[in-house]
Amino acid sequence: MADQTLETKEGYFRFSSNDRIYCRVIGSGRRHILFLHGFAASLHTWDSLVPFFPAGEYTLHLLDLKGHGRSVEYCRGDYSASHNANIVNAYILSLGVDEVDLVGHSFGGLVGMYAALECPRISRLVLIDAPGFPQKIPRFMRILCIPFIGPLFLALLSPRVVARKGLESVFYRHERITEQHIERYAAGYRGLAAACGLAETARQLIPDNVEQITGRYATITIPVLILWGVHDRIVKPWQGRKLQQEIAGSRLVTIADCGHNPHEELPEKTFGLIQAFWAGESG
């Protein structure tokens, strides 16, 4: 595991009067990587994966997407994947670099795909269990979508209980769930503002023009790696196969003995697959 000894920078990226996105930057290497977390998570979902990246070789950019983590208090209005992608692309442009690799998990992978459709500075894309097409959403999200009742219901529950239940649904082997995992997720479920942010995201998850957007996946020409936990119960494996069919030249790699969150359940394995993909593309 690499030694992350360089100073971490953090702050807010101002996209508009409605949106300020919390971001954390680690390292000072020449290769820039942007990480986008999944639904009901935060940038802390990458805490188990980040230490494998040598801080002197990479500059890692971790964002709390709109309605999540420390971005909750400074966002309102549009919480869709498309709007999040616009924010991501503006952030990338603000960096002033020519190339950025993007790693997105679940909802963050969807945002990453939308961003790649518009931003030529995204040079490579890693999608981890990302829902590229409409499917039945989990019960937790359906409850959140109920006006007033959904957010209030979540706000009244114990954050640690919600975190534990959520992790049990995304991890294949529950014995891999640690106290650190539980606390990093519980922090995102405290308070009514957090519940409302998640509810707004859930309601806007599937856009009205979804067929138009999915029809553009074939225009993605950058190298794409699709990683999928074999035992994913949240985003069905057919999604990964269909993405591979739609994105020419993309690679689909399945991860055995793993659920919806490979970067947390098997971080070393996930890092190795990402590293091998990038090495192959660079060779």
Side-chain angles (χ1 to χ4, degrees), residues 12 23 28 167 217 244 247 263 270:
Y12 285 87
C23 53
S28 59
L167 286 164
Y217 291 165
Q244 184 190 29
I247 304 175
H263 57 292
T270 302

Side-chain angles (χ1 to χ4, degrees), residues 171-183:
F171 272 54
Y172 176 55
R173 295 194 181 276
H174 294 175
E175 64 270 20
R176 293 173 178 157
I177 300 171
T178 67
E179 283 298 311
Q180 289 81 4
H181 290 131
I182 293 172
E183 187 51 40

Side-chain angles (χ1 to χ4, degrees), residues 11-49:
Y12 285 87
F13 171 70
R14 185 182 180 90
F15 176 72
S16 70
S17 58
N18 285 343
D19 302 310
R20 290 172 61 194
I21 302 299
Y22 179 70
C23 53
R24 177 172 293 173
V25 181
I26 302 172
S28 59
R30 63 179 183 83
R31 291 187 57 183
H32 292 257
I33 309 174
L34 178 64
F35 292 87
L36 303 177
H37 62 78
F39 177 80
S42 72
L43 58 79
H44 290 291
T45 192
W46 306 109
D47 284 356
S48 301
L49 186 67

Side-chain angles (χ1 to χ4, degrees), residues 203-214:
R203 293 189 191 110
Q204 300 177 37
L205 187 61
I206 301 177
D208 294 334
N209 62 336
V210 63
E211 291 186 2
Q212 178 182 350
I213 296 176
T214 57

Side-chain angles (χ1 to χ4, degrees), residues 1-6 26-33 35 49-60 271 275 278:
M1 183 176 294
D3 181 16
Q4 295 290 346
T5 58
L6 298 185
I26 302 172
S28 59
R30 63 179 183 83
R31 291 187 57 183
H32 292 257
I33 309 174
F35 292 87
L49 186 67
V50 161
F52 290 98
F53 291 87
E57 297 179 23
Y58 298 92
T59 299
L60 309 180
F271 171 76
Q275 186 181 47
W278 282 339

Side-chain angles (χ1 to χ4, degrees), residues 81 106-114 117 127-138 141 204-220 224 226 228 232 234-248 250 252 260:
S106 198
F107 177 67
L110 180 65
V111 172
M113 279 190 289
Y114 287 8
L117 289 170
L127 305 174
I128 304 176
D129 295 71
F133 308 92
Q135 69 166 53
K136 184 178 180 180
I137 64 175
M141 295 175 68
Q204 300 177 37
L205 187 61
I206 301 177
D208 294 334
N209 62 336
V210 63
E211 291 186 2
Q212 178 182 350
I213 296 176
T214 57
R216 295 183 61 199
Y217 291 165
T219 67
I220 297 176
V224 177
I226 304 166
W228 220 273
D232 189 345
I234 304 299
V235 183
K236 305 304 181 183
W238 66 261
Q239 294 253 14
R241 296 191 293 270
K242 189 170 177 63
L243 280 173
Q244 184 190 29
Q245 292 171 0
E246 294 294 325
I247 304 175
S250 62
L252 172 62
H260 182 62

Side-chain angles (χ1 to χ4, degrees), residues 13 15 34 61 63 85-100 115 118-122:
F13 171 70
F15 176 72
L34 178 64
H61 303 263
L63 305 187
N86 290 337
I87 296 173
V88 167
N89 286 343
Y91 177 82
I92 291 173
L93 289 175
S94 76
L95 298 178
V97 298
D98 294 330
E99 294 187 350
V100 174
E118 306 295 342
C119 183
R121 298 193 186 188
I122 298 175

